[in-house]
């Protein structure tokens, strides 16, 4: 083989190696960027779930409270606790005092209507208490459900984004494989052409 042909063969080989390295580096950079994108989205998703956690936890607790409200024994336990607490004591004292003033002003302190009114204070306050709890628990449960739904939606979005990024990484790998095959196919073709020319001189 002449020096000229050897030089052409060497240049073809060196060019093939350089092209192969460049294609491999480009694919590696694209795959690294894809992986960095996946990790960044996962970090943001985890942070979002962390920020939503207190609202979800409040919602879970409120759901338990609502379940207790629909259970007769649960309501009885809540009322018993309420009647033994300072809130009921303060409110019932105020209502009784107002009722006694009204009865004294009308001369009906010992009357049946006054006694019936006094006897209805505890049930009325108890029903108001349970109604207020129901509203509070419902509000917290709705807030928790909203946070849970938001987290679920973000999880689905994250899954879709990661799937897209993984497809991009796979395409980069496939493109690199195709580029490598083309490069070395061209190098082999060049060598075959040189050999053919050498033998047919």
């Amino acid at each position: 083989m002449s020096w000229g042909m050897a030089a052409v063969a060497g240049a073809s080989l060196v060019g093939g190696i350089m092209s192969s390295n460049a294609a491999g580096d480009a694919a590696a950079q694209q795959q690294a960027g894809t992986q960095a994108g996946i990790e960044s989205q996962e970090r943001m998703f985890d942070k979002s779930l962390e920020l939503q956690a207190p609202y979800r936890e409040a919602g879970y607790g409120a759901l338990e409270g609502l379940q207790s409200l629909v259970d007769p024994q649960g309501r009885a336990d809540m009322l018993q606790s309420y009647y033994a607490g300072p809130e009921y004591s303060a409110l019932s004292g105020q209502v009784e005092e107002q009722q006694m003033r009204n009865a004294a002003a009308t001369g009906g302190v010992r009357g049946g209507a006054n006694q019936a009114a006094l006897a209805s204070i505890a049930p009325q306050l108890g029903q108001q208490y349970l109604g207020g709890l129901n509203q509070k628990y419902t509000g917290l449960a709705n807030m928790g459900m909203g946070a849970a739904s938001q987290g679920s939606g973000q999880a689905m979005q994250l899954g879709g984004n990661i799937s897209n990024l993984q497809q991009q990484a796979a395409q980069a790998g496939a493109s690199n494989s195709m580029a490598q095959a083309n490069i070395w196919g061209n190098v082999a073709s060049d060598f075959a052409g040189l050999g053919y020319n050498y033998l047919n001189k």
Side-chain angles (χ1 to χ4, degrees), residues 34-192:
T34 298
Q35 185 59 38
I38 290 172
E39 291 171 1
S40 176
Q41 289 198 43
E42 287 175 338
R43 280 195 304 273
M44 294 305 296
F45 175 70
D46 290 341
K47 183 64 176 177
S48 177
L49 288 184
E50 178 186 332
L51 294 172
Q52 294 166 6
Y55 302 97
R56 287 195 311 274
E57 294 302 322
Y60 297 149
L63 186 58
E64 291 176 6
L66 283 172
Q67 290 169 334
S68 294
L69 278 175
V70 299
D71 175 58
Q73 185 59 51
R75 285 195 306 275
D77 292 343
M78 289 178 176
L79 285 174
Q80 184 177 6
S81 176
Y82 171 66
Y83 289 143
E87 181 181 349
Y88 170 74
S89 179
L91 287 175
S92 63
Q94 293 172 9
V95 175
E96 285 177 12
E97 183 180 342
Q98 183 63 42
Q99 178 60 35
M100 292 301 289
R101 280 190 197 147
N102 292 342
T106 59
V109 172
R110 297 183 189 275
N114 185 48
Q115 296 305 314
L118 290 173
S120 70
I121 291 173
Q124 288 177 1
L125 288 177
Q127 288 305 309
Q128 289 175 10
Y129 171 71
L130 292 178
L133 278 182
N134 182 63
Q135 289 180 346
K136 290 175 185 175
Y137 286 150
T138 298
L140 287 171
N142 287 337
M143 181 178 62
M145 184 174 64
S149 296
Q150 185 176 359
S152 175
Q154 289 172 328
M156 291 178 66
Q157 182 178 3
L158 175 65
N161 291 346
I162 288 178
S163 175
N164 290 337
L165 288 170
Q166 288 171 335
Q167 287 177 11
Q168 291 175 17
Q171 288 170 355
S175 296
N176 179 46
S177 296
M178 292 296 293
Q180 296 291 338
N182 289 335
I183 289 166
W184 293 113
N186 290 337
V187 169
S189 177
D190 289 347
F191 273 98

